[in-house]
């Protein structure tokens, strides 16, 4: 369940017409760490919570995002044109590609009433908030795989598992001498849905080894 504003919920539940645009917020790593770039595929600039998403048709293209219930990781693929970023930051292509490795990309769906010449924003819905990994790059564009921030919590347990030449199943009663209860970990994952400027943040707390 994703939180939406009361105004947006009312329009979505009615037959009223609305317009929708994707918002992209890139928080760079590497050489451009601390810098951001914000774009929209809408026909005009959109300003929300002090962040202006520039309307640059074709700068960012995305595939369908895959979102599931349970413990699977949401992901999507994004294609980003390099030239607008070069114009904005005046750095070589390699610096831009390197700064996208480990960068954070937030994608929102923005809903509004009216037209692009005169519209009123109803609200935004987070689509995906994840880490970027460049998968293919050239002098003109870079293809990026985006996986949800929740992916950082995917860790194999038990850690540092070494089982050389053991014919028994791990923790199997009567054959394996290891007690599974001694290797369990407990913790909490807290999240807070915040506006488009910061997106969805995950916090890992109270991690105790028993």
């Amino acid at each position: 369940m994703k939180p939406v504003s009361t105004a947006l919920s009312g329009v979505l539940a009615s037959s009223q017409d609305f317009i929708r645009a994707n918002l992209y917020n890139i928080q760079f790593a590497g050489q451009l760490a601390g810098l951001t770039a914000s774009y929209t595929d809408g026909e005009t600039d959109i300003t929300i919570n002090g962040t202006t998403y520039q309307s640059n048709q074709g700068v960012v293209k995305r595939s369908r995002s895959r979102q599931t219930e349970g413990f699977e990781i949401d992901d999507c693929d994004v294609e980003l044109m390099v030239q607008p970023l070069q114009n904005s930051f005046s750095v070589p292509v390699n610096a831009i590609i390197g700064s996208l490795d480990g960068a954070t990309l937030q994608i929102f769906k923005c809903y509004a009433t009216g037209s692009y010449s005169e519209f009123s924003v109803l609200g935004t819905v987070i689509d995906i908030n994840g880490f970027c990994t460049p998968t293919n790059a050239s002098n003109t564009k870079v293809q990026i795989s985006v996986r949800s921030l929740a992916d950082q919590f995917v860790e194999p347990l038990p850690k540092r598992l070494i089982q050389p030449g053991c014919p028994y199943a791990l923790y199997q009663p009567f054959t394996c001498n290891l007690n599974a209860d001694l290797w369990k970990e407990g913790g909490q994952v807290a999240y807070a849905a915040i506006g488009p400027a910061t997106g969805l943040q995950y916090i890992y707390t109270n991690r105790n080894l028993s």
Side-chain angles (χ1 to χ4, degrees):
M1 182 70 68
K2 297 183 178 181
V4 299
S5 66
T6 303
L8 176 55
S9 177
V11 170
L12 294 179
S14 68
S15 59
Q16 182 177 347
D17 293 338
F18 60 86
I19 56 177
R20 187 181 72 182
N22 288 315
L23 308 179
Y24 304 90
N25 183 268
I26 306 169
Q27 300 176 3
F28 292 98
Q31 184 175 336
L32 298 179
L35 299 178
T36 62
S38 302
Y39 297 107
T40 176
D41 57 10
E43 297 178 6
T44 186
D45 293 354
I46 300 175
T47 300
I48 299 178
N49 294 339
T51 300
T52 298
Y53 297 84
Q54 299 178 7
S55 176
N56 285 297
Q57 297 290 323
V59 173
V60 185
K61 297 180 181 179
R62 54 165 297 183
S63 68
R64 289 179 176 269
S65 58
R66 187 179 68 90
Q67 301 182 2
T68 60
E69 295 182 356
F71 294 101
E72 291 192 52
I73 303 302
D74 299 339
D75 59 21
C76 75
D77 296 320
V78 173
E79 184 177 276
L80 182 66
M81 304 304 292
V82 175
Q83 187 62 47
L85 295 176
Q86 282 187 283
N87 296 338
S88 298
F89 301 112
S90 301
V91 295
V93 173
N94 289 339
I96 293 174
I97 297 173
S99 297
L100 288 170
D101 190 7
T104 301
L105 175 62
Q106 301 159 350
I107 304 177
F108 301 88
K109 287 185 172 68
C110 176
Y111 295 85
T113 55
S115 63
Y116 277 113
S117 60
E118 185 176 354
F119 61 89
S120 176
V121 174
L122 296 169
T124 60
V125 178
I126 182 73
D127 193 7
I128 191 168
N129 182 19
F131 293 113
C132 300
T133 302
T135 57
N136 193 16
S138 68
N139 289 333
T140 58
K141 61 185 178 182
V142 56
Q143 295 176 342
I144 303 168
S145 174
V146 183
R147 290 179 63 82
S148 169
L149 296 181
D151 190 38
Q152 63 185 311
F153 302 122
V154 179
E155 298 182 9
L157 295 173
K159 297 180 180 179
R160 296 179 291 277
L161 175 62
I162 300 175
Q163 193 178 9
C166 181
Y168 306 118
L170 185 63
Y171 306 138
Q172 183 70 32
F174 309 114
T175 57
C176 180
N177 292 325
L178 292 179
N179 185 347
D181 292 335
L182 299 178
W183 296 89
K184 289 182 179 180
E185 291 190 358
Q188 295 179 330
V189 177
Y191 74 93
I194 308 177
T198 53
L200 188 64
Q201 297 180 342
Y202 288 86
I203 305 170
Y204 199 15
T205 60
N206 299 335
R207 187 175 183 177
N208 301 312
L209 182 64
S210 58

